[in-house]
């Protein structure tokens, strides 16, 4: 992890990383601790090989062709990851194996398809992302390889069975439970599941891999194969399921853990579950180090570490003291859900800026039902190919259970304060994890005290923050009210990073060309080129003509349309002013959680300096 972060911030050349790795490997012959340093530089070297390439074709139209290796459905469009095998620029064909991300309309793109797209590349949207290919699809060559053909047939089979047995909302929920992903839900139903705190049941993870193992064990238990042959057969089923679910990090993590536990059982070794989880993380990061900055990777491992760390403590402190066994069994899922929620909540607050207050209770009711549904859906898929009537009989039981999940989610989401907006500085969220480590607990308490003092001092400052990214200029006034100037498209990510609240209500005044629907901000129409708009708010004066002028006491700033057009969409330019002097710095618009941490610390320090 240290090597990945080191490479992400310093961009050390790979030859230098390799040389330093070799030097410290030789020094490890003198002392074994040098081997840890060698591992750090080895991880940095591997990270460099996986970082998004700086292509000279970015922004230039060309003909790109590649193979689809993963796809995720989102309503009317798909998010596709493909590996380019050639780029045709002005008749010159360049080879390469570069991962890119493509957004395609409709459900007609499948794993293994070869796409030919006329367009251009844009920079990645996140630290763990790959370049985005924007353009029009010129040609689609469907599945030819045996592996992708089998995966495509399986996904088509699952879709056809569920379309036949579960129309409407039932089909969307059933497909999400088996294949994974919330993109199959309608936006309104997705919001209901989010407010109820149960959207994670649609994230394929250890529960689903456990059922695949159970099916495999039941299938091979009737044979007279040796133990290792049964294990290989079960692992083949798990690998096939990983292919069907498009290699989601949570599925890959559960698959690696299942394989490692299976090997331990074959060798009759006692293993530590934390060590197994660490090894699974190391394998995934060795394959793709940038997964460390992926939200799904972070949420998956945070939930597992929360269960492994907190659940045994809750079991010793509370569950073992419950003498009535039915009550103890009923409280166990609640304890597991609570343990996962505690470790996941800091990430949820940072990325989504809101948290469900009743998630443990809703999970206590819905997770057992969802577990039974997943098991029966697998049975339906197996029986439908050999006994269609039996599959329909099971579907009669599954349909009311699917309706029950939706009903419970709607009822819980309708409760007041089921979901609350939360704005907590990221440094404090990082410290929350440190409190669970006994060795660090004492130091974290002092660190939290210091951070609270700094944040309190920063909050006393009468300052104005201006953030610009592309054509968006965001002004946060000294009283924390916000003004957004966006003559073109509104960048919601910019307002979220300034206010720390991912809601439209965080913008108080919006100067835009068109009024957005469902926006709570007071709308001020952007003037045409022949009109001048003057806005006075306290000590701040904003004038919009051919230029954008902002004055705060003695400080004056202005931007022309050319300045805004030349500004990159992938960096945020910060200006912090107390009216007498100003300080400037830049931050990434789509950085990793570590980049966000550094940016927030810089904002806190700058506000303290301007007090």
């Amino acid at each position: 992890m240290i090597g990945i972060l080191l490479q992400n911030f310093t961009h050390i050349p790979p030859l230098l990383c390799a040389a330093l790795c070799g030097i410290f490997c030789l020094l490890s012959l003198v002392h074994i601790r040098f081997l840890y340093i060698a591992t750090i530089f080895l991880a940095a070297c591997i990270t460099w090989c996986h970082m998004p390439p700086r292509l000279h074709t970015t922004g230039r139209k060309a003909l790109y062709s590649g193979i689809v290796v993963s796809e995720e459905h989102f309503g009317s469009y798909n998010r596709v990851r493909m590996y380019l095998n050639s780029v045709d620029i002005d008749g010159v064909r360049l080879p390469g194996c570069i991962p890119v991300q493509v957004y395609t309309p409709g459900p007609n793109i499948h794993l293994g398809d070869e796409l030919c797209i006329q367009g251009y590349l844009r920079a990645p949207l996140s630290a763990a992302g790959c370049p985005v290919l924007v353009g029009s699809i010129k040609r689609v060559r469907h599945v030819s390889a045996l592996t992708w053909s089998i995966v495509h047939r399986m996904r088509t089979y699952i879709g056809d069975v569920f379309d036949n047995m579960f129309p409407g909302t039932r089909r969307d929920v059933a497909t999400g439970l088996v294949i994974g992903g919330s993109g199959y839900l309608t936006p309104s139903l997705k919001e209901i599941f989010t407010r109820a705190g149960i959207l994670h049941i649609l994230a394929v993870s250890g529960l689903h891999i456990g059922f695949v193992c159970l099916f495999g064990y039941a299938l091979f238990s009737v044979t007279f194969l040796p133990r290792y042959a049964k294990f290989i057969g079960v692992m083949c089923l798990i690998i096939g399921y990983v292919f069907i679910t498009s290699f989601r990090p949570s599925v890959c993590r559960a698959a690696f853990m299942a394989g490692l536990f299976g090997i331990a059982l074959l060798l009759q070794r006692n293993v530590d579950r934390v060590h197994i989880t660490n090894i699974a993380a190391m394998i995934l990061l060795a394959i793709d180090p940038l997964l460390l900055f992926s939200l799904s990777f972070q949420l998956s491992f945070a939930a597992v570490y929360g269960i492994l760390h907190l659940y045994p403590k809750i079991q010793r402190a509370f569950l073992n003291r419950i003498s009535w066994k039915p009550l103890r069994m009923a409280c166990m899922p609640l304890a597991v859900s609570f343990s996962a929620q505690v470790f996941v909540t800091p990430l949820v607050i940072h990325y989504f800026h809101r948290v469900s207050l009743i998630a443990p209770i809703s999970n206590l009711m819905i997770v057992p039902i969802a577990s039974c549904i997943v098991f029966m859906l697998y049975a339906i898929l197996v029986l439908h190919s050999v006994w269609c009537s039996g599959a329909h009989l099971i579907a009669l039981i599954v349909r009311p259970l699917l309706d029950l999940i939706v009903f419970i989610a709607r009822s819980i989401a309708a409760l007041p304060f089921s979901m609350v907006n939360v704005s907590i500085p990221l440094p404090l969220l990082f410290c929350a994890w440190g409190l669970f480590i006994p060795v660090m607990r004492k130091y974290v308490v002092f660190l939290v005290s210091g951070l609270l003092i700094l944040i309190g001092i920063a909050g006393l400052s009468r300052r104005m923050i201006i953030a610009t990214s592309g054509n968006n200029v965001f002004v946060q006034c000294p009283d924390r009210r916000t003004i957004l100037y966006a003559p073109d498209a509104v960048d919601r990510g910019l307002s979220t990073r300034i206010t720390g609240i991912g809601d439209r209500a965080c913008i108080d005044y919006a100067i835009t060309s068109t009024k957005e629907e469902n926006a709570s901000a007071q709308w001020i129409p952007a003037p045409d080129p022949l009109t001048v708009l003057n806005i006075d708010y306290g000590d701040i004066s904003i004038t919009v003509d051919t230029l954008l002028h902002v004055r705060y006491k003695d400080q004056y700033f202005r931007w022309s349309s050319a300045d805004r057009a030349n500004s990159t969409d992938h960096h945020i330019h910060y200006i912090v002013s107390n009216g007498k002097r100003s300080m400037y710095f830049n931050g990434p618009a789509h950085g990793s959680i570590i980049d966000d941490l550094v940016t927030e610390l810089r904002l806190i320090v700058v506000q303290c300096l301007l007090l």
Side-chain angles (χ1 to χ4, degrees):
M1 184 182 297
I2 297 175
I4 297 172
L5 297 175
L6 179 68
Q7 183 60 258
N8 186 62
F9 282 101
T10 60
H11 302 285
I12 303 175
L15 292 178
L16 179 59
C17 288
L20 292 173
C21 179
I23 291 172
F24 283 105
C25 281
L26 294 176
L27 291 175
S28 66
L29 300 175
V30 180
H31 200 290
I32 191 62
R33 291 185 178 179
F34 285 109
L35 188 60
Y36 297 109
I37 303 177
T39 306
I40 291 174
F41 286 105
L42 178 61
C45 187
I46 297 174
T47 304
W48 183 90
C49 297
H50 287 81
M51 293 185 72
R54 299 179 182 273
L55 300 174
H56 297 293
T57 59
T58 302
R60 295 175 57 189
K61 278 214 167 186
L63 191 64
Y64 302 86
S65 63
I67 304 295
V68 176
V69 295
S70 70
E71 59 91 15
E72 190 171 357
H73 182 70
F74 289 94
S76 60
Y77 70 94
N78 287 344
R79 184 172 63 191
V80 172
R81 183 184 177 96
M82 57 183 285
Y83 271 89
L84 298 179
N85 49 34
S86 66
V87 182
D88 193 337
I89 306 175
D90 300 329
V92 179
R93 194 175 182 86
L94 304 175
C97 186
I98 302 168
V100 297
Q101 189 168 283
V102 186
Y103 292 88
T104 62
N108 299 321
I109 305 300
H110 308 290
L111 293 175
D113 287 354
E114 182 177 0
L115 303 184
C116 188
I117 299 176
Q118 180 80 38
Y120 59 93
L121 291 176
R122 296 182 61 182
L125 298 178
S126 65
C130 50
V132 179
L133 179 55
V134 180
S136 57
I137 299 176
K138 297 298 182 182
R139 185 179 69 251
V140 178
R141 188 168 67 87
H142 288 295
V143 180
S144 58
L146 178 61
T147 303
W148 297 120
S149 179
I150 294 174
V151 172
H152 171 56
R153 289 177 183 273
M154 289 299 299
R155 291 176 68 98
T156 303
Y157 171 75
I158 294 172
D160 292 341
V161 171
F162 288 168
D163 285 340
N164 183 30
M165 296 191 174
F166 309 110
T169 303
R170 296 170 179 170
R171 177 200 58 213
D172 299 337
V173 178
T175 306
L177 285 172
V178 172
I179 298 180
S182 59
Y184 295 96
L185 304 182
T186 61
S188 59
L189 187 59
K190 182 178 179 180
E191 177 64 19
I192 289 172
F193 274 51
T194 302
R195 293 185 65 86
I198 61 167
L199 193 64
H200 66 89
I201 67 172
L202 303 179
V204 182
S205 57
L207 174 68
H208 302 73
I209 294 295
F211 284 140
V212 172
C213 292
L214 183 61
F215 266 106
Y217 177 77
L219 180 65
F220 291 107
S221 62
V222 298
T223 65
F224 297 98
L225 296 173
R227 293 179 61 192
Y228 70 87
K230 294 179 181 179
F231 169 72
I232 293 174
V234 173
M235 287 306 302
C236 288
L237 291 177
I238 292 176
I239 292 172
Y241 189 69
V242 171
F243 271 84
I244 292 173
T245 54
S246 300
F247 305 96
R248 300 176 190 273
S250 58
V251 186
C252 294
R253 185 264 307 163
F256 278 120
M257 291 183 66
L260 293 171
F261 272 117
I263 293 173
L265 290 175
L266 284 177
L267 298 177
Q268 297 182 353
R269 299 288 183 88
N270 292 324
V271 294
D272 189 345
R273 290 172 294 179
V274 176
H275 291 168
I276 292 292
T277 308
N278 293 339
I279 293 172
M282 291 174 63
I283 293 173
L284 288 175
L285 292 177
I287 296 172
D288 186 0
L290 296 184
L291 278 177
L292 180 64
F293 307 113
S294 168
L295 174 59
S296 58
F297 179 90
Q298 294 170 5
L299 290 175
S300 176
F301 278 92
V304 173
Y305 283 123
I307 294 172
L308 295 179
H309 185 81
L310 281 184
Y311 179 74
K313 294 180 171 59
I314 297 175
Q315 187 178 29
R316 289 193 300 268
F318 299 102
L319 296 181
N320 291 341
R321 298 183 180 182
I322 300 176
S323 57
W324 191 34
K325 188 175 181 179
L327 180 59
R328 184 169 67 250
M329 297 296 293
C331 291
M332 285 175 60
L334 182 62
V336 172
S337 176
F338 177 77
S339 303
Q341 288 287 337
V342 168
F343 270 57
V344 165
T345 297
L347 291 172
V348 173
I349 291 175
H350 170 65
Y351 285 107
F352 304 106
H353 307 284
R354 56 181 185 170
V355 64
S356 175
L357 298 180
I358 53 178
I361 299 176
S362 60
N363 281 273
L364 179 63
M365 294 185 287
I366 289 179
V367 169
I369 301 174
S371 302
C372 297
I373 290 175
V374 170
F375 189 83
M376 287 187 283
L377 289 175
Y378 286 164
I380 288 173
L381 294 174
V382 174
L383 282 178
H384 191 271
S385 59
V386 294
W387 186 29
C388 189
S389 299
H392 279 279
L393 288 175
I394 299 176
L396 293 176
I397 304 173
V398 173
R399 288 169 193 156
L401 292 179
L402 291 172
D403 294 336
L404 181 61
I405 282 184
V406 176
F407 173 76
I408 294 174
R410 291 183 189 276
S411 302
I412 292 176
L415 294 175
F417 305 108
S418 61
M419 180 75 70
V420 294
N421 291 332
V422 181
S423 176
I424 299 177
L426 186 56
L428 293 179
L429 294 177
F430 264 88
C431 293
W433 286 311
L435 292 174
F436 294 101
I437 304 175
V439 178
M440 297 179 58
R441 192 170 297 156
K442 178 174 62 175
Y443 305 101
V444 169
V445 171
F446 287 106
L447 181 60
V448 168
S449 302
L451 285 172
L452 289 175
I453 293 173
L454 285 177
I455 293 171
I457 294 174
L460 295 175
S461 63
R462 296 280 299 175
R463 86 290 179 272
M464 174 189 69
I465 298 178
I466 301 176
T468 63
S469 178
N471 263 335
N472 286 236
V473 179
F474 188 93
V475 181
Q476 190 177 61
C477 304
D479 62 355
R480 302 318 190 251
R481 289 190 175 271
T482 56
I483 302 172
L484 173 66
Y485 174 68
D488 300 323
V490 177
D491 184 358
R492 288 291 166 188
L494 180 62
S495 61
T496 298
R497 284 175 177 269
I498 295 300
T499 61
I501 301 177
D503 190 12
R504 297 185 178 190
C506 65
I507 299 176
D508 297 292
Y509 305 96
I511 308 173
T512 57
S513 55
T514 57
K515 185 177 181 179
E516 294 189 55
E517 296 182 2
N518 302 324
S520 59
Q522 181 177 338
W523 178 57
I524 303 173
D528 56 60
L530 300 179
T531 308
V532 178
L533 173 66
N534 291 307
I535 299 176
D536 291 324
Y537 186 85
D539 295 326
I540 298 177
S541 175
I542 299 177
T543 303
V544 181
D545 45 30
T546 56
L547 303 175
L548 173 65
H549 311 262
V550 178
R551 182 181 296 276
Y552 178 48
K553 296 181 181 179
D554 299 335
Q555 300 294 303
Y556 171 72
F557 315 95
R558 70 174 185 177
W559 297 267
S560 65
S561 57
D563 293 333
R564 297 195 304 272
N566 294 331
S567 175
T568 175
D569 292 332
H570 305 288
H571 287 86
I572 300 179
H573 308 280
Y574 293 91
I575 304 173
V576 184
S577 174
N578 62 359
K580 296 181 179 179
R581 59 193 181 99
S582 304
M583 301 184 73
Y584 307 78
F585 68 93
N586 295 331
H590 305 287
S592 66
I593 190 171
I594 305 299
D595 295 319
D596 297 341
L597 175 65
V598 173
T599 300
E600 289 196 25
L601 287 174
R602 294 177 72 178
L603 271 174
I604 293 172
V605 172
V606 167
Q607 292 178 65
C608 291
L609 294 176
L610 292 176
L611 182 63

